[in-house]
Amino acid sequence: MSTESHPVLTLPASRNADPREAPPLRWGMIGTGYVAHTFAADVPVHTRHTLAVVCGRDQARREAFAAQYGIPRSVASVDELVNSSDIDAVYVATPHSDHHAHALAAIAVGKPVLVEKAFMQNAAQAIEVAAAARASGITTMEAMWTRFLPRHDVVRQILDSGLLGEIE
């Protein structure tokens, strides 16, 4: 066993902002399935955002969802949700087959939209949604939240610093 001392490596701090420091948004949610429950449970814990409206096809299910998460209003229509004056952004948590139409509906009325994975069903839909968002100046993104975890920023900093040498 070697008795050499090894230098202590201090990792850089993450540069990611604390999500609780972001301006609060009022969210309209489309969908009440599994992933929607995760979003609804996490938003009030990790941000200052609020859930204002939920939309779903099944009235009993969406009303139960709204009651479970303290969402003040539930609606059956995507058009009613995206045109609501009491929301700032739209979260799409519907089946993949509906992501395209729901994202375009939000973009059409000027609402930023966060779309669950998979973003769209195919590249053509993704290109269309991205083009509509760009043309309207609307923020639109896939809910690939792991990209924004602090550890990913730390790894990027280590790689950029050259500390590990040339990565192949």
Side-chain angles (χ1 to χ4, degrees):
M1 191 151 150
S2 172
T3 58
E4 291 178 40
S5 75
H6 295 285
V8 174
L9 175 65
T10 302
L11 296 176
S14 172
R15 300 168 294 191
N16 291 4
D18 183 335
R20 290 169 292 219
E21 294 174 8
L25 294 174
R26 301 168 299 169
W27 287 89
M29 297 181 60
I30 306 173
T32 59
Y34 173 79
V35 74
H37 281 273
T38 301
F39 184 83
D42 287 348
V43 163
V45 173
H46 300 288
T47 73
R48 295 183 300 142
H49 301 229
T50 57
L51 307 172
V53 184
V54 64
C55 175
R57 295 175 293 214
D58 181 279
Q59 181 179 356
R61 188 171 169 175
R62 82 171 174 268
E63 287 178 358
F65 187 95
Q68 181 177 352
Y69 297 104
I71 301 171
R73 212 158 51 87
S74 78
V75 299
S77 158
V78 170
D79 285 338
E80 184 178 354
L81 180 131
V82 298
N83 286 294
S84 295
S85 61
D86 57 342
I87 66 167
D88 304 307
V90 174
Y91 172 64
V92 177
T94 53
H96 304 138
S97 56
D98 295 328
H99 288 185
H100 180 250
H102 294 163
L104 289 175
I107 292 165
V109 298
K111 298 278 171 67
V113 61
L114 177 65
V115 182
E116 258 313 324
K117 304 172 291 295
F119 184 61
M120 296 292 140
Q121 288 184 299
N122 55 52
Q125 287 181 351
I127 289 166
E128 181 183 359
V129 168
R134 192 175 303 110
S136 300
I138 300 300
T139 299
T140 300
M141 67 180 284
E142 181 178 38
M144 188 58 75
W145 57 270
T146 54
R147 281 184 76 180
F148 303 100
L149 289 173
R151 68 176 167 239
H152 287 242
D153 179 58
V154 170
V155 169
R156 278 190 296 275
Q157 290 181 66
I158 291 169
L159 293 173
D160 291 346
S161 75
L163 177 67
L164 300 177
E166 185 176 342
I167 305 297
E168 295 182 25

